[in-house]
Amino acid sequence: MKLVIALALALPMFAFASGEKYQNRSENPFVPEKGIVTAKQICVDEKNEVFRVFVPAHKQEFCKSYKWDRTDSHYPKKVCVGRTVKDIPAQTVSVSPFYQQLVCVKYDRKDSTRPTCVKSEVRTLQYPTSYIQYTYEAADWRQERPIRTQEKQIESCK
């Protein structure tokens, strides 16, 4: 019995050797959230100024139109009319690194708790080519304490 308890207490020590988990954080939505990022998943084509992103095979739902179901008066639901599901094959897509965002330029600060936007403009911004990779122990199931934190660059396309 004492041997079983001793082994149960020692299990977390052996779990470190079983592997590591990787979590990626970036403002770039095309960087995968988990795992090691490879050039096959995403790469930067500096010549054409695009990201080449691999999209795995998946199913996508298409609707001819939408209508609102108001039978539950508190929460109306959006219902798909003419639903079809299509298989999309795996493909590599070229995506622009530039995107547009509505940015508030001037605020009305009469109410100090809630300033309201008076004037806004559309700005063209660029997704970053870097991401932060957090490495966790396999036993750290909450992913609270990273072993390593590294800032990495997205590889260039060959």
Side-chain angles (χ1 to χ4, degrees):
M1 186 66 180
K2 288 181 182 180
L3 180 66
V4 173
I5 293 172
L7 285 173
L9 291 173
L11 281 178
M13 184 176 70
F14 296 120
F16 177 75
S18 67
E20 296 175 337
K21 294 180 185 175
Y22 301 99
Q23 190 103 22
N24 305 311
R25 300 264 187 251
S26 177
E27 291 179 28
N28 191 335
F30 306 111
V31 174
E33 290 181 9
K34 293 183 179 181
I36 296 175
V37 179
T38 62
K40 289 182 179 178
Q41 292 173 318
I42 182 171
C43 64
V44 179
D45 187 356
E46 294 170 358
K47 183 179 172 186
N48 298 327
E49 290 189 350
V50 293
F51 288 118
R52 292 230 175 96
V53 181
F54 175 75
V55 180
H58 61 281
K59 294 181 187 250
Q60 189 166 355
E61 179 184 275
F62 295 97
C63 299
K64 289 183 181 175
S65 65
Y66 292 97
K67 83 176 187 188
W68 289 95
D69 180 14
R70 290 181 167 67
T71 53
D72 185 0
S73 61
H74 295 289
Y75 302 105
K77 294 176 187 165
K78 192 175 184 181
V79 178
C80 176
V81 177
R83 177 179 176 261
T84 56
V85 178
K86 292 185 181 176
D87 290 327
I88 308 294
Q91 58 188 347
T92 302
V93 183
S94 295
V95 182
S96 172
F98 302 102
Y99 65 100
Q100 293 187 332
Q101 187 176 31
L102 189 65
V103 178
C104 190
V105 180
K106 188 177 179 184
Y107 288 96
D108 179 15
R109 300 192 185 273
K110 289 178 186 171
D111 185 3
S112 62
T113 58
R114 290 192 186 97
T116 56
C117 186
V118 177
K119 184 179 177 186
S120 59
E121 65 182 29
V122 177
R123 290 190 184 162
T124 302
L125 303 171
Q126 185 174 4
Y127 290 123
T129 57
S130 64
Y131 63 96
I132 298 173
Q133 183 184 63
Y134 297 97
T135 307
Y136 297 95
E137 292 180 14
D140 189 5
W141 57 277
R142 288 190 198 164
Q143 297 183 345
E144 294 178 322
R145 290 174 230 94
I147 303 168
R148 281 188 307 277
T149 303
Q150 297 173 316
E151 184 169 350
K152 294 190 170 187
Q153 295 292 324
I154 298 172
E155 296 179 37
S156 57
C157 298
K158 296 176 183 175

